[in-house]
Amino acid sequence: MRKHIKSILIVVILLRVTISFSQDKINDTINTGVIDVVKPYTPTISDAFKVKEIPSLEDETTETKKEIKYNIFSFPVASTFTPAKGKAAVVEKRKPVRLFDNYATLGVGTYTTILGEVYLNHAISRSESVGGYISHHSSQGGIEDLSFDDNFSNSKINVNYSSRLRDLAWNVEGGFKHQTYNWYGVPPSQIAAASTNGIDEEHSFFSAHFGGDITFEDTYINSGSFFFRRFGDNQGSGENRFIAKATIDVPINDVEISTDIKFDYLGGTFDRSYTTNTEFNYGNFQVGISPTYEMKQDDLTVNLGFSAFYLNDKESGESKFYVYPNVTATYRLVNDVLIAYGGIEGDLIQNSYYDFATENPFVSPTLFVMPTDQLYNAYIGLKGKLSSNMSYNISGHYLADRNKALYKNNVIRNLAPQTNYDYGNSFGIVYDDVDTFGVAGEINVDVNRNFKLGLKAEYFTYSTEREVEAWNLPDIKGALFLDYQINEHWFAGANLFYVGERKDQLELEVALPPDPQSTTVVLDSYFDANAHVGYHINEQLSVFAKANNINNQAYQRWQNFPVQSIQFLAGATYKFDF
């Protein structure tokens, strides 16, 4: 207690000394001169407000109120209600789907169709894996009103090895493919001659390839790859293709320029041309470089660059340089709802016998192969999301191709046919300068996590320089697909395709005049509907059924080559680990 009293006295003394010191300082600084009053002060007195007293009212109603007493009677009430304890709502969780590394599929169907596929993958360690697949699809044919075999077969085998290290990942693969088709599309006017001559309409292809790629982390060299393929057929044709690519970042004044480097070699041989028995060769190599600089500012992204190619034709010995623009841009007008994009690009497209035979297996082994000079591909469009589960894309483009490859029905050599494909039942390649204008629209809808729907439509117009028409190019293309997981076990889907009219030429060899007689043929548009349904018996075994060309149209994708009508196929898929 004494300690507290002493503390209080010390504080009071300090405050007193401080106040005295302050007053002395103030008195020392006040000027003692005369103060002049500019305006005399005139005091006024404000009105007084008296508080009114509560008046006393002499009335009967002001008498004292009678005191009222309340008596409350309480008694117990019997109740049988027992409140339940509160319980938080539980979110229903879907059972996690178990993933398998391997699967096998087998199906059989009409036209004696067999479909089989086996995919295998095995992890050797945490950073290494090896895998492969084998697939086969064949049909014994049986298209109505055909005089020649229309069976086909497509078999593939592939193996791969991959490794992922701390700073890089690499992969190598190799494979083999064998395909068999038939030149069965003989026009009615030539069936008798082809039957009499006993043509062998079978045409087989084979190819073997080997390649690999590597990706680096935190280096100026981002990635690299190489690919080699040997392709040939049973008519004495052979083709080699080698491609090497690399992507590097080139630093210039604290700015990195992403640069693609490409080397592409092509060389091949055909036993003969379409009109002579003379063997001829084709081939070239090209070296290309494509630097690109990316600029970003707020919602705008611009890529500025160009592509330069050096082309050397190894047969003629001629060399050429090509330079193309490579400029693209995107701008977010309204976040992800409305995005505008556009660009202008060009390319030197390397055509090959393999690419032609893959797109049209009824080509003759007598093609003239050369690259396409795509001067520019200018496009503009809008894309975005209409809602959280609906996206869209609308675009328009204009292409200028020089030496664009067009499929055209070969001349019917009815005067002196020499090969199995001289009867109007094969296709050749013609090159022309083609300008293409097109518009396209696309909508994708994820109704929910179990139902997806997509729709796409395209319209084209063509302008040619030398040819009468842009042969076998459609004016309209459309596609619709849907995928529906009905419940835990049932699933279904469908694909619908529409291709508009195309034009081809029917040419007949005559003695006089020397030029063949030609007639333009219009191939009707076609609609192809395909659907499938399946059932998961358990997490490993599923069964399915498919129906193709449901509308049962024997349409012609290529002139004189009708397709199989409605087809059915059923099978099973088994997933497993080992």
Short mmCIF file of all heavy atoms in Angstrom, two decimals, residues 490-534:
data_model
loop_
_atom_site.label_atom_id
_atom_site.label_comp_id
_atom_site.label_asym_id
_atom_site.label_seq_id
_atom_site.Cartn_x
_atom_site.Cartn_y
_atom_site.Cartn_z
N TRP A 490 -25.34 -49.10 -68.40
CA TRP A 490 -25.68 -48.89 -69.81
C TRP A 490 -25.03 -47.62 -70.35
O TRP A 490 -24.95 -46.60 -69.66
CB TRP A 490 -27.19 -48.78 -69.99
CG TRP A 490 -27.91 -50.09 -69.83
CD1 TRP A 490 -28.54 -50.55 -68.71
CD2 TRP A 490 -28.07 -51.11 -70.83
NE1 TRP A 490 -29.08 -51.78 -68.94
CE2 TRP A 490 -28.81 -52.16 -70.25
CE3 TRP A 490 -27.67 -51.23 -72.15
CZ2 TRP A 490 -29.15 -53.31 -70.93
CZ3 TRP A 490 -28.01 -52.38 -72.85
CH2 TRP A 490 -28.74 -53.41 -72.25
N PHE A 491 -24.57 -47.67 -71.60
CA PHE A 491 -24.05 -46.50 -72.29
C PHE A 491 -24.43 -46.59 -73.77
O PHE A 491 -24.70 -47.67 -74.30
CB PHE A 491 -22.52 -46.41 -72.14
CG PHE A 491 -21.76 -47.58 -72.71
CD1 PHE A 491 -21.27 -47.56 -74.01
CD2 PHE A 491 -21.53 -48.72 -71.94
CE1 PHE A 491 -20.57 -48.63 -74.53
CE2 PHE A 491 -20.83 -49.80 -72.46
CZ PHE A 491 -20.35 -49.77 -73.75
N ALA A 492 -24.46 -45.45 -74.42
CA ALA A 492 -24.87 -45.38 -75.83
C ALA A 492 -24.22 -44.18 -76.49
O ALA A 492 -23.73 -43.26 -75.82
CB ALA A 492 -26.39 -45.33 -75.95
N GLY A 493 -24.25 -44.16 -77.81
CA GLY A 493 -23.69 -43.05 -78.56
C GLY A 493 -24.10 -43.12 -80.01
O GLY A 493 -24.64 -44.13 -80.48
N ALA A 494 -23.84 -42.03 -80.73
CA ALA A 494 -24.19 -41.97 -82.15
C ALA A 494 -23.29 -40.98 -82.86
O ALA A 494 -22.80 -40.01 -82.25
CB ALA A 494 -25.66 -41.58 -82.33
N ASN A 495 -23.05 -41.22 -84.15
CA ASN A 495 -22.30 -40.32 -85.02
C ASN A 495 -23.06 -40.19 -86.33
O ASN A 495 -23.43 -41.21 -86.94
CB ASN A 495 -20.90 -40.86 -85.29
CG ASN A 495 -20.05 -40.92 -84.03
OD1 ASN A 495 -19.54 -39.92 -83.58
ND2 ASN A 495 -19.92 -42.11 -83.47
N LEU A 496 -23.26 -38.96 -86.77
CA LEU A 496 -23.96 -38.71 -88.01
C LEU A 496 -23.10 -37.80 -88.87
O LEU A 496 -22.57 -36.78 -88.39
CB LEU A 496 -25.33 -38.05 -87.76
CG LEU A 496 -26.38 -38.88 -87.03
CD1 LEU A 496 -26.21 -38.76 -85.51
CD2 LEU A 496 -27.79 -38.42 -87.39
N PHE A 497 -22.98 -38.16 -90.15
CA PHE A 497 -22.14 -37.40 -91.08
C PHE A 497 -22.95 -37.05 -92.33
O PHE A 497 -23.74 -37.86 -92.82
CB PHE A 497 -20.90 -38.21 -91.48
CG PHE A 497 -20.05 -38.65 -90.33
CD1 PHE A 497 -20.21 -39.91 -89.78
CD2 PHE A 497 -19.10 -37.80 -89.78
CE1 PHE A 497 -19.42 -40.33 -88.72
CE2 PHE A 497 -18.32 -38.21 -88.72
CZ PHE A 497 -18.48 -39.47 -88.19
N TYR A 498 -22.69 -35.85 -92.82
CA TYR A 498 -23.30 -35.43 -94.08
C TYR A 498 -22.21 -34.83 -94.96
O TYR A 498 -21.43 -33.98 -94.51
CB TYR A 498 -24.40 -34.40 -93.84
CG TYR A 498 -24.99 -33.87 -95.13
CD1 TYR A 498 -25.98 -34.58 -95.81
CD2 TYR A 498 -24.56 -32.66 -95.67
CE1 TYR A 498 -26.51 -34.12 -96.99
CE2 TYR A 498 -25.08 -32.18 -96.86
CZ TYR A 498 -26.06 -32.91 -97.52
OH TYR A 498 -26.58 -32.44 -98.70
N VAL A 499 -22.16 -35.28 -96.20
CA VAL A 499 -21.20 -34.77 -97.17
C VAL A 499 -21.97 -34.35 -98.41
O VAL A 499 -22.77 -35.12 -98.94
CB VAL A 499 -20.14 -35.84 -97.54
CG1 VAL A 499 -19.19 -35.30 -98.60
CG2 VAL A 499 -19.36 -36.26 -96.30
N GLY A 500 -21.74 -33.12 -98.86
CA GLY A 500 -22.48 -32.57 -99.99
C GLY A 500 -21.97 -33.12 -101.32
O GLY A 500 -21.15 -34.02 -101.40
N GLU A 501 -22.48 -32.53 -102.38
CA GLU A 501 -22.13 -32.98 -103.73
C GLU A 501 -20.66 -32.78 -104.04
O GLU A 501 -20.03 -31.83 -103.57
CB GLU A 501 -22.97 -32.23 -104.76
CG GLU A 501 -24.45 -32.58 -104.73
CD GLU A 501 -25.22 -31.87 -105.83
OE1 GLU A 501 -24.64 -30.94 -106.44
OE2 GLU A 501 -26.39 -32.23 -106.09
N ARG A 502 -20.11 -33.71 -104.80
CA ARG A 502 -18.76 -33.59 -105.34
C ARG A 502 -18.83 -33.80 -106.85
O ARG A 502 -19.82 -34.34 -107.36
CB ARG A 502 -17.81 -34.64 -104.75
CG ARG A 502 -17.48 -34.41 -103.29
CD ARG A 502 -18.40 -35.15 -102.36
NE ARG A 502 -18.38 -36.57 -102.62
CZ ARG A 502 -19.47 -37.35 -102.67
NH1 ARG A 502 -20.68 -36.84 -102.47
NH2 ARG A 502 -19.38 -38.65 -102.91
N LYS A 503 -17.81 -33.41 -107.54
CA LYS A 503 -17.78 -33.57 -109.00
C LYS A 503 -16.51 -34.30 -109.41
O LYS A 503 -15.43 -34.06 -108.86
CB LYS A 503 -17.86 -32.21 -109.70
CG LYS A 503 -19.20 -31.50 -109.48
CD LYS A 503 -19.27 -30.18 -110.21
CE LYS A 503 -20.62 -29.51 -109.98
NZ LYS A 503 -20.73 -28.21 -110.68
N ASP A 504 -16.68 -35.21 -110.36
CA ASP A 504 -15.55 -35.95 -110.92
C ASP A 504 -15.71 -35.96 -112.43
O ASP A 504 -16.66 -35.38 -112.97
CB ASP A 504 -15.50 -37.37 -110.35
CG ASP A 504 -14.09 -37.96 -110.41
OD1 ASP A 504 -13.30 -37.51 -111.27
OD2 ASP A 504 -13.79 -38.86 -109.62
N GLN A 505 -14.79 -36.65 -113.11
CA GLN A 505 -14.82 -36.66 -114.58
C GLN A 505 -14.72 -38.09 -115.08
O GLN A 505 -13.95 -38.90 -114.56
CB GLN A 505 -13.66 -35.83 -115.14
CG GLN A 505 -13.91 -35.35 -116.56
CD GLN A 505 -12.92 -34.26 -116.95
OE1 GLN A 505 -11.72 -34.46 -116.86
NE2 GLN A 505 -13.42 -33.12 -117.40
N LEU A 506 -15.54 -38.39 -116.08
CA LEU A 506 -15.50 -39.69 -116.76
C LEU A 506 -14.85 -39.47 -118.12
O LEU A 506 -15.40 -38.79 -118.99
CB LEU A 506 -16.91 -40.25 -116.92
CG LEU A 506 -17.03 -41.59 -117.65
CD1 LEU A 506 -16.31 -42.69 -116.88
CD2 LEU A 506 -18.49 -41.95 -117.87
N GLU A 507 -13.63 -40.02 -118.28
CA GLU A 507 -12.87 -39.82 -119.51
C GLU A 507 -12.70 -41.16 -120.23
O GLU A 507 -12.32 -42.17 -119.62
CB GLU A 507 -11.49 -39.22 -119.21
CG GLU A 507 -11.57 -37.80 -118.68
CD GLU A 507 -10.20 -37.19 -118.52
OE1 GLU A 507 -9.51 -37.55 -117.56
OE2 GLU A 507 -9.81 -36.38 -119.37
N LEU A 508 -12.96 -41.14 -121.53
CA LEU A 508 -12.88 -42.36 -122.35
C LEU A 508 -11.86 -42.16 -123.45
O LEU A 508 -11.91 -41.18 -124.20
CB LEU A 508 -14.26 -42.67 -122.95
CG LEU A 508 -14.36 -43.95 -123.78
CD1 LEU A 508 -14.11 -45.17 -122.91
CD2 LEU A 508 -15.74 -44.02 -124.45
N GLU A 509 -10.92 -43.09 -123.55
CA GLU A 509 -9.88 -43.01 -124.57
C GLU A 509 -10.48 -43.35 -125.94
O GLU A 509 -11.18 -44.35 -126.09
CB GLU A 509 -8.76 -43.99 -124.23
CG GLU A 509 -7.57 -43.92 -125.18
CD GLU A 509 -6.52 -44.95 -124.82
OE1 GLU A 509 -6.88 -46.12 -124.60
OE2 GLU A 509 -5.34 -44.57 -124.74
N VAL A 510 -10.19 -42.51 -126.93
CA VAL A 510 -10.68 -42.73 -128.30
C VAL A 510 -9.51 -42.60 -129.26
O VAL A 510 -8.47 -42.03 -128.94
CB VAL A 510 -11.79 -41.71 -128.67
CG1 VAL A 510 -13.03 -41.93 -127.82
CG2 VAL A 510 -11.28 -40.28 -128.54
N ALA A 511 -9.69 -43.14 -130.47
CA ALA A 511 -8.62 -43.09 -131.48
C ALA A 511 -8.45 -41.69 -132.04
O ALA A 511 -7.35 -41.17 -132.14
CB ALA A 511 -8.91 -44.08 -132.59
N LEU A 512 -9.53 -41.06 -132.45
CA LEU A 512 -9.52 -39.71 -133.01
C LEU A 512 -10.69 -38.93 -132.40
O LEU A 512 -11.81 -39.44 -132.37
CB LEU A 512 -9.63 -39.74 -134.53
CG LEU A 512 -8.43 -40.32 -135.29
CD1 LEU A 512 -8.77 -40.43 -136.78
CD2 LEU A 512 -7.18 -39.48 -135.09
N PRO A 513 -10.47 -37.72 -131.97
CA PRO A 513 -9.19 -37.01 -131.86
C PRO A 513 -8.33 -37.61 -130.74
O PRO A 513 -8.81 -38.43 -129.97
CB PRO A 513 -9.62 -35.59 -131.54
CG PRO A 513 -10.91 -35.75 -130.81
CD PRO A 513 -11.60 -36.92 -131.45
N PRO A 514 -7.06 -37.18 -130.62
CA PRO A 514 -6.18 -37.78 -129.62
C PRO A 514 -6.61 -37.53 -128.18
O PRO A 514 -6.30 -38.31 -127.31
CB PRO A 514 -4.82 -37.14 -129.93
CG PRO A 514 -5.15 -35.88 -130.66
CD PRO A 514 -6.38 -36.16 -131.44
N ASP A 515 -7.30 -36.42 -127.92
CA ASP A 515 -7.73 -36.13 -126.56
C ASP A 515 -8.92 -37.01 -126.19
O ASP A 515 -9.81 -37.25 -127.02
CB ASP A 515 -8.11 -34.66 -126.43
CG ASP A 515 -6.92 -33.73 -126.61
OD1 ASP A 515 -5.79 -34.18 -126.31
OD2 ASP A 515 -7.11 -32.59 -127.05
N PRO A 516 -8.98 -37.51 -124.96
CA PRO A 516 -10.09 -38.37 -124.56
C PRO A 516 -11.39 -37.58 -124.43
O PRO A 516 -11.39 -36.38 -124.18
CB PRO A 516 -9.64 -38.90 -123.20
CG PRO A 516 -8.68 -37.86 -122.68
CD PRO A 516 -7.99 -37.32 -123.89
N GLN A 517 -12.49 -38.29 -124.64
CA GLN A 517 -13.80 -37.70 -124.44
C GLN A 517 -14.08 -37.65 -122.94
O GLN A 517 -13.90 -38.64 -122.24
CB GLN A 517 -14.88 -38.52 -125.15
CG GLN A 517 -14.76 -38.54 -126.66
CD GLN A 517 -15.81 -39.42 -127.31
OE1 GLN A 517 -16.52 -40.15 -126.62
NE2 GLN A 517 -15.91 -39.35 -128.63
N SER A 518 -14.50 -36.50 -122.46
CA SER A 518 -14.70 -36.32 -121.01
C SER A 518 -16.09 -35.81 -120.72
O SER A 518 -16.66 -35.02 -121.49
CB SER A 518 -13.65 -35.36 -120.44
OG SER A 518 -13.76 -34.09 -121.06
N THR A 519 -16.64 -36.29 -119.61
CA THR A 519 -17.96 -35.87 -119.14
C THR A 519 -17.87 -35.62 -117.64
O THR A 519 -17.31 -36.44 -116.90
CB THR A 519 -19.02 -36.95 -119.41
OG1 THR A 519 -19.04 -37.24 -120.81
CG2 THR A 519 -20.39 -36.47 -118.97
N THR A 520 -18.41 -34.50 -117.20
CA THR A 520 -18.42 -34.20 -115.76
C THR A 520 -19.53 -34.98 -115.09
O THR A 520 -20.68 -34.97 -115.53
CB THR A 520 -18.61 -32.70 -115.53
OG1 THR A 520 -17.53 -31.98 -116.12
CG2 THR A 520 -18.65 -32.38 -114.04
N VAL A 521 -19.19 -35.66 -114.01
CA VAL A 521 -20.13 -36.49 -113.25
C VAL A 521 -20.34 -35.86 -111.88
O VAL A 521 -19.37 -35.47 -111.21
CB VAL A 521 -19.60 -37.92 -113.09
CG1 VAL A 521 -20.55 -38.77 -112.27
CG2 VAL A 521 -19.37 -38.56 -114.46
N VAL A 522 -21.60 -35.76 -111.48
CA VAL A 522 -21.94 -35.21 -110.16
C VAL A 522 -22.24 -36.37 -109.21
O VAL A 522 -23.14 -37.18 -109.46
CB VAL A 522 -23.15 -34.26 -110.25
CG1 VAL A 522 -23.51 -33.74 -108.85
CG2 VAL A 522 -22.86 -33.10 -111.18
N LEU A 523 -21.48 -36.46 -108.15
CA LEU A 523 -21.71 -37.47 -107.13
C LEU A 523 -22.69 -36.92 -106.10
O LEU A 523 -22.49 -35.83 -105.55
CB LEU A 523 -20.41 -37.85 -106.44
CG LEU A 523 -19.31 -38.41 -107.35
CD1 LEU A 523 -18.06 -38.70 -106.54
CD2 LEU A 523 -19.78 -39.66 -108.06
N ASP A 524 -23.77 -37.66 -105.87
CA ASP A 524 -24.81 -37.20 -104.96
C ASP A 524 -24.27 -37.04 -103.54
O ASP A 524 -23.35 -37.75 -103.10
CB ASP A 524 -25.99 -38.18 -104.95
CG ASP A 524 -26.70 -38.22 -106.29
OD1 ASP A 524 -26.64 -37.22 -107.02
OD2 ASP A 524 -27.31 -39.27 -106.60
N SER A 525 -24.89 -36.11 -102.81
CA SER A 525 -24.58 -35.97 -101.40
C SER A 525 -25.06 -37.22 -100.65
O SER A 525 -25.93 -37.95 -101.12
CB SER A 525 -25.25 -34.73 -100.82
OG SER A 525 -26.66 -34.80 -100.98
N TYR A 526 -24.49 -37.45 -99.49
CA TYR A 526 -24.90 -38.62 -98.73
C TYR A 526 -24.92 -38.31 -97.24
O TYR A 526 -24.27 -37.39 -96.76
CB TYR A 526 -23.99 -39.82 -99.02
CG TYR A 526 -22.55 -39.65 -98.62
CD1 TYR A 526 -22.12 -39.96 -97.32
CD2 TYR A 526 -21.60 -39.21 -99.54
CE1 TYR A 526 -20.79 -39.81 -96.97
CE2 TYR A 526 -20.27 -39.08 -99.19
CZ TYR A 526 -19.87 -39.38 -97.89
OH TYR A 526 -18.55 -39.23 -97.54
N PHE A 527 -25.71 -39.11 -96.55
CA PHE A 527 -25.90 -38.99 -95.10
C PHE A 527 -25.63 -40.35 -94.48
O PHE A 527 -26.23 -41.35 -94.88
CB PHE A 527 -27.32 -38.51 -94.79
CG PHE A 527 -27.62 -38.38 -93.33
CD1 PHE A 527 -27.18 -37.27 -92.63
CD2 PHE A 527 -28.34 -39.35 -92.66
CE1 PHE A 527 -27.46 -37.15 -91.28
CE2 PHE A 527 -28.62 -39.23 -91.32
CZ PHE A 527 -28.18 -38.13 -90.62
N ASP A 528 -24.73 -40.40 -93.54
CA ASP A 528 -24.34 -41.66 -92.91
C ASP A 528 -24.58 -41.55 -91.41
O ASP A 528 -24.03 -40.68 -90.74
CB ASP A 528 -22.87 -41.96 -93.20
CG ASP A 528 -22.51 -43.40 -92.90
OD1 ASP A 528 -23.21 -44.03 -92.09
OD2 ASP A 528 -21.53 -43.91 -93.48
N ALA A 529 -25.44 -42.45 -90.90
CA ALA A 529 -25.77 -42.45 -89.47
C ALA A 529 -25.26 -43.74 -88.84
O ALA A 529 -25.49 -44.84 -89.35
CB ALA A 529 -27.28 -42.34 -89.27
N ASN A 530 -24.56 -43.60 -87.72
CA ASN A 530 -24.00 -44.75 -87.00
C ASN A 530 -24.36 -44.63 -85.52
O ASN A 530 -24.39 -43.52 -84.97
CB ASN A 530 -22.48 -44.81 -87.15
CG ASN A 530 -22.04 -44.66 -88.59
OD1 ASN A 530 -22.37 -45.47 -89.44
ND2 ASN A 530 -21.29 -43.58 -88.88
N ALA A 531 -24.63 -45.76 -84.87
CA ALA A 531 -25.01 -45.75 -83.46
C ALA A 531 -24.45 -46.99 -82.78
O ALA A 531 -24.18 -48.01 -83.42
CB ALA A 531 -26.53 -45.70 -83.31
N HIS A 532 -24.28 -46.88 -81.47
CA HIS A 532 -23.82 -48.02 -80.69
C HIS A 532 -24.46 -47.98 -79.31
O HIS A 532 -24.87 -46.93 -78.81
CB HIS A 532 -22.29 -48.02 -80.57
CG HIS A 532 -21.76 -46.91 -79.72
ND1 HIS A 532 -21.41 -45.67 -80.25
CD2 HIS A 532 -21.51 -46.82 -78.39
CE1 HIS A 532 -20.97 -44.89 -79.29
NE2 HIS A 532 -21.02 -45.56 -78.15
N VAL A 533 -24.55 -49.15 -78.69
CA VAL A 533 -25.06 -49.28 -77.33
C VAL A 533 -24.24 -50.37 -76.64
O VAL A 533 -23.78 -51.32 -77.29
CB VAL A 533 -26.56 -49.63 -77.32
CG1 VAL A 533 -26.82 -50.98 -77.97
CG2 VAL A 533 -27.13 -49.60 -75.91
N GLY A 534 -24.03 -50.21 -75.33
CA GLY A 534 -23.22 -51.18 -74.61
C GLY A 534 -23.67 -51.36 -73.18
O GLY A 534 -24.47 -50.56 -72.65
#
